[in-house]
Amino acid sequence: MSASLQVDAAGRLRHFLDVEGLSRQQLIEIMDTAESFAGVGDRSVKKVPLLRGKTVVNLFFEASTRTRTTFELAAKRLSADVLNLNVSTSATTKGESLLDTLRNLEAMQADMFVVRHGESGAAHFVARHAAPHVGVINAGDGCHAHPTQAMLDMFTIRRVKGEFTPLTVAIVGDILHSRVARSQIHALNTLGVREVRVIAPQTLLPPHVEQLGVKVHHDLVAGVRDADVIITLRLQRERMDGRLLPSKHEYFQRYGLTEAHLTGARPDAIVMHPGPINRGVELDSGTADGPRSVILQQVTHGIAIRMAVISMVMAGHAVEATA
Ligand code: CP
């Protein structure tokens, strides 16, 4: 196995930056490790002592509810100390560079940075410049990747469906701006699902999207037909220049998922959404809260997946330190 920025020569995670480039075996190892942590939240003391004495720093330069809080809970359940840098009240607002912020946090003996940033490539930049003993996890970078979201989605699918190979998965919505979709497509194809479909207007699809290994649909009814898993995505209006869509109302008329659309899907089809959801835009409330929805299970699984990734990256660095 060849070493890369995120994987050492033995295949161990040094950082977790992207699903792309990881093998099926590595994705399965992340899910198996998450499975071993999934019960911790049900205990009266929701903690294991694995990372006692380690310090994890959450560096979120972009808004987040689920990812930031579940990373914090994951690190605390592993007994690490957690520091949440509030970027809006940090010295970043006085002009301090990202590199100087990193150097200062390293001077406080940080062991890990969890990075969310609006610029694609920001987590890779941090990983390239971090001190050798510091692990870096990508918590979402621009339109590029959101690997822990993709892995918690895979974990949710595996827990409900068991096997990946017979599945048809349809991803509906703003594929163009979605780091989640990009990471999900890589993960689903690596795990060997039967078919990955994307359903969107042409204006919300990246050029040459078929080259990612997906079938393109512009019609929602046809796109969800016989699907086992339907993943709805948020319209990322903050990344649009305003000319890509007519209106939220018209978008919902053509691409908003409702119970009526689900009659064409497999009888046991599940509905997913990474959040935050916009009711009446990507899907209606009956679907978001209905019996097929696993949206809140995705959130719970985010803790176990993040415990897995944090512990695996820390373990990768521990091996390096003793080598
Ligand atoms: N799914 C996701 O990344 O949600 P947040 O933006 O709330 O972290």
Side-chain angles (χ1 to χ4, degrees):
M1 185 168 297
S2 65
S4 66
L5 184 58
Q6 71 172 348
V7 176
D8 70 13
R12 285 180 294 255
L13 283 181
R14 296 191 67 256
H15 306 290
F16 188 55
L17 306 173
D18 208 336
V19 169
E20 189 178 5
L22 296 183
S23 67
R24 179 175 174 275
Q25 195 47 46
Q26 285 164 326
L27 301 191
I28 288 172
E29 190 186 344
I30 291 170
M31 290 189 280
D32 288 347
T33 308
E35 200 63 63
S36 74
F37 289 128
V40 173
D42 300 324
R43 299 182 191 167
S44 57
V45 178
K46 299 181 181 63
K47 263 189 194 302
V48 290
L50 198 63
L51 297 186
R52 214 159 35 196
K54 297 289 183 188
T55 302
V56 174
V57 181
N58 275 331
L59 271 173
F60 277 58
F61 294 87
E62 226 190 27
S64 169
T65 297
R66 281 145 290 271
T67 311
R68 200 200 61 71
T69 50
T70 53
F71 263 115
E72 180 171 352
L73 273 178
K76 285 180 170 170
R77 287 185 185 177
L78 291 164
S79 300
D81 296 317
V82 182
L83 209 120
N84 291 301
L85 188 76
N86 187 345
V87 173
S88 64
T89 57
S90 75
T92 303
T93 59
K94 299 178 189 168
E96 186 169 70
S97 74
L98 178 55
L99 271 185
D100 282 328
T101 303
L102 295 183
R103 294 290 166 257
N104 279 269
L105 292 166
E106 284 170 358
M108 300 173 205
Q109 286 102 24
D111 297 292
M112 176 171 281
F113 295 135
V114 177
V115 183
R116 169 167 288 193
H117 203 289
E119 293 293 325
S120 296
H124 287 72
F125 175 85
V126 173
R128 276 197 304 276
H129 291 91
H133 72 279
V134 175
V136 178
I137 298 180
N138 184 0
D141 63 322
C143 298
H144 173 238
H146 194 349
T148 58
Q149 178 67 48
M151 289 314 301
L152 74 88
D153 296 334
M154 299 307 114
F155 187 64
T156 303
I157 292 171
R158 188 173 85 162
R159 280 197 135 198
V160 178
K161 297 288 178 191
E163 293 289 323
F164 286 96
T165 44
L167 300 180
T168 295
V169 181
I171 307 175
V172 191
D174 182 0
I175 313 292
L176 178 64
H177 301 100
S178 179
R179 55 195 176 206
V180 175
R182 237 168 285 271
S183 291
Q184 287 169 337
I185 291 166
H186 285 301
L188 288 164
N189 281 323
T190 302
L191 290 165
V193 298
R194 196 168 75 86
E195 188 173 311
V196 186
R197 301 174 185 163
V198 292
I199 311 167
Q202 193 62 44
T203 50
L204 293 182
L205 288 170
H208 314 299
V209 66
E210 302 85 354
Q211 291 173 6
L212 294 175
V214 297
K215 291 208 171 135
V216 174
H217 288 262
H218 299 300
D219 179 73
L220 181 56
V221 173
V224 302
R225 192 168 294 135
D226 296 326
D228 300 279
V229 177
I230 300 153
I231 303 174
T232 51
L233 296 175
R234 184 175 70 86
L235 288 179
Q236 308 225 354
R237 288 191 166 266
E238 72 277 18
R239 302 188 210 280
M240 293 182 193
D241 65 9
R243 285 171 293 138
L244 297 177
L245 277 177
S247 71
K248 283 184 189 175
H249 177 72
E250 281 177 68
Y251 178 83
F252 179 71
Q253 293 304 315
R254 287 197 62 196
Y255 293 101
L257 192 70
T258 66
E259 287 294 319
H261 296 113
L262 292 170
T263 54
R266 302 272 303 174
D268 58 351
I270 57 171
V271 173
M272 304 176 73
H273 193 304
I277 62 173
N278 289 296
R279 292 167 188 265
V281 182
E282 299 107 42
L283 72 178
D284 66 1
S285 282
T287 310
D289 305 326
R292 296 169 187 265
S293 171
V294 295
I295 293 171
L296 293 178
Q297 289 175 51
Q298 289 173 261
V299 177
T300 305
H301 292 158
I303 303 171
I305 280 290
R306 287 168 178 137
M307 288 174 82
V309 172
I310 291 171
S311 64
M312 289 168 73
V313 170
M314 286 282 193
H317 281 271
V319 169
E320 260 179 28
T322 54

